[in-house]
Amino acid sequence: MTANDRFRALRAELREMTETLRWAPAGGRPARFFARRSVQARIRARKVQALADEAGLPHVREYVLKSHVVLYAHSSDRVVLLAMRHQRQLSYAV
């Protein structure tokens, strides 16, 4: 599979995710790094929650694609994508 093929597949997955989140904003899993106890994880969690709060969105979740994980914040009627990472990456670049 070429890089162009992988990019097209990722775009298709993102379109499908967008449609799913349009009718089910809480469709992803709870963001896992909020449960981590390290100082770095807590700092990262505070930054992400501050981004969500700034956008007026109370909930932060992750949506798992085939090879990527998308971090997003949502309310009952709005979704904002915050970051995306490959599943092999340890953390998001927020």
Side-chain angles (χ1 to χ4, degrees):
M1 185 180 261
T2 68
N4 283 336
D5 293 337
R6 287 191 303 272
F7 183 67
R8 273 191 226 100
L10 177 60
R11 285 180 50 183
E13 287 180 67
L14 288 169
R15 279 192 296 275
E16 184 178 322
M17 178 198 74
T18 302
E19 287 303 313
T20 299
L21 294 179
R22 188 179 313 267
W23 58 268
R29 68 183 184 200
R32 289 186 172 177
F33 63 86
F34 278 107
R36 302 264 164 44
R37 299 180 193 274
S38 73
V39 172
Q40 286 178 327
R42 287 192 304 238
I43 290 170
R44 190 173 297 121
R46 275 191 232 121
K47 286 181 182 179
V48 169
Q49 192 61 56
L51 280 173
D53 292 344
E54 197 175 295
L57 303 170
H59 309 290
V60 178
R61 299 182 75 79
E62 295 174 320
Y63 194 95
V64 179
L65 303 172
K66 287 181 183 174
S67 60
H68 290 80
V69 181
V70 178
L71 182 69
Y72 70 96
H74 75 92
S75 65
S76 61
D77 63 342
R78 209 172 91 180
V79 174
V80 174
L81 304 181
L82 301 174
M84 185 169 78
R85 68 176 175 83
H86 191 277
Q87 287 185 351
R88 292 181 185 170
Q89 288 177 287
L90 294 176
S91 64
Y92 296 97
V94 179

